[in-house]
């Protein structure tokens, strides 16, 4: 079997996470995970079975993307096009999968990154539109959170997050939100009309 990214290189036998038999490229360090090997490895582990329960431990890992990550490739097993899905936020990378045979391709370092994020046990879920939507919403929230910290400073931002969480959980939390908004409306009106 040849490397999907560099067709002249032949893949060699390897192992991931001590028990998952894979094919590795000795040159680009990419990894081909045959569908059957992945399924049997996955079945021996607790793994999320729906996209909604696949909650990443972290949205981002420090990660140097392989120069071959964005290169389009064909399945080394059956020759179909490999589909890709985006993972990670500030340092995004793409995991590839063959929809014909179900095999998975990870470029150099991607498996370890998936493992750090806690996503390696349910890679097929990363390709669902549900996960993509959830993932974008999480990214958006994380960016908004960071912007709040940048503007308010960590201490006040933390109090805002704490308050938001408390109001979210409280059955009449919307009264608190309405109070804050009214209060803020009056405040901005005063600023606009100094006399
Ligand atoms: Zn290679
Ligand atoms: Zn295939």
């Amino acid at each position: 079997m040849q490397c999907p990214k560099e067709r002249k290189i032949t893949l060699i036998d390897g192992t991931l996470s001590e028990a998952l038999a894979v094919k590795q490229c000795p040159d680009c360090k990419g990894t081909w995970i045959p569908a059957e090997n992945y399924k049997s490895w996955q079945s021996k582990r607790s793994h999320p079975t729906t996209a909604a329960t696949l909650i990443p431990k972290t949205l981002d890992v420090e990660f140097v993307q392989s120069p071959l990550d964005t290169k389009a490739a064909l399945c080394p097993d059956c020759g179909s096009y490999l589909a890709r899905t985006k993972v990670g936020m500030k340092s995004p990378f793409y995991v590839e999968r063959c929809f014909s045979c179900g095999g998975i391709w990870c470029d150099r370092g991607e498996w370890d990154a998936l493992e750090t994020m806690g996503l390696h046990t349910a890679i097929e879920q990363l390709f669902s539109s549900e996960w993509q939507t959830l993932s974008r919403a999480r990214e958006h929230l994380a960016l908004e959170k960071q912007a709040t910290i940048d503007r308010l400073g960590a201490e006040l931002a933390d109090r805002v997050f704490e308050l938001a969480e408390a109001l979210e959980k409280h059955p009449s939390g919307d009264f608190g939100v309405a109070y804050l908004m009214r209060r803020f409306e009056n405040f901005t009106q005063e600023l606009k009309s100094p006399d």
Side-chain angles (χ1 to χ4, degrees):
M1 187 184 285
Q2 303 304 112
C3 173
K5 300 288 173 106
E6 318 158 291
R7 321 229 25 189
K8 283 184 202 138
I9 314 281
T10 303
L11 301 179
I12 54 171
D13 289 333
T15 314
L16 287 180
S17 301
E18 288 165 14
L20 175 54
V22 296
K23 296 280 181 191
Q24 284 171 328
C25 176
D27 189 59
C28 70
K29 312 292 178 200
T31 303
W32 177 250
I33 309 169
E36 273 174 30
N37 298 7
Y38 187 69
K39 267 184 217 145
S40 68
W41 175 85
Q42 190 184 38
S43 69
K44 291 177 199 121
R45 281 163 178 76
S46 64
H47 60 94
T49 50
T50 64
T53 53
L54 180 62
I55 296 160
K57 284 187 203 146
T58 164
L59 287 173
D60 211 36
V61 280
E62 282 298 317
F63 183 74
V64 183
Q65 190 191 48
S66 161
L68 295 173
D69 191 19
T70 51
K71 190 180 177 189
L74 300 176
C75 175
D77 198 10
C78 73
S80 303
Y81 266 103
L82 293 179
R84 61 178 61 213
T85 189
K86 188 182 155 209
V87 186
M89 199 174 67
K90 283 182 212 144
S91 354
F93 59 93
Y94 298 87
V95 177
E96 287 154 277
R97 189 175 186 225
C98 173
F99 284 133
S100 290
C101 69
I104 296 158
W105 176 259
C106 289
D107 289 291
R108 184 192 68 206
E110 291 177 358
W111 174 267
D112 290 340
L114 288 173
E115 198 165 13
T116 306
M117 296 170 97
L119 301 175
H120 65 309
T121 53
I123 292 177
E124 77 281 7
Q125 298 292 346
L126 304 180
F127 289 83
S128 67
S129 58
E130 193 191 4
W131 196 84
Q132 288 290 315
T133 307
L134 281 170
S135 167
R136 273 195 294 274
R138 283 180 193 128
E139 274 180 31
H140 185 76
L141 205 67
L143 290 173
E144 221 167 48
K145 218 170 167 179
Q146 191 52 52
T148 308
I149 294 168
D150 292 345
R151 292 283 180 97
L152 301 182
E155 206 181 309
L156 184 55
D158 267 345
R159 284 162 68 188
V160 171
F161 301 147
E162 226 172 273
L163 181 62
E165 212 170 293
L167 288 173
E168 231 170 49
K169 282 180 193 151
H170 196 284
S172 304
D174 53 331
F175 280 84
V177 176
Y179 170 78
L180 284 172
M181 284 174 68
R182 260 198 315 276
R183 171 95 192 235
F184 193 72
E185 241 166 57
N186 293 340
F187 173 64
T188 48
Q189 260 163 22
E190 270 166 39
L191 282 183
K192 274 179 213 154
S193 51
D195 48 355

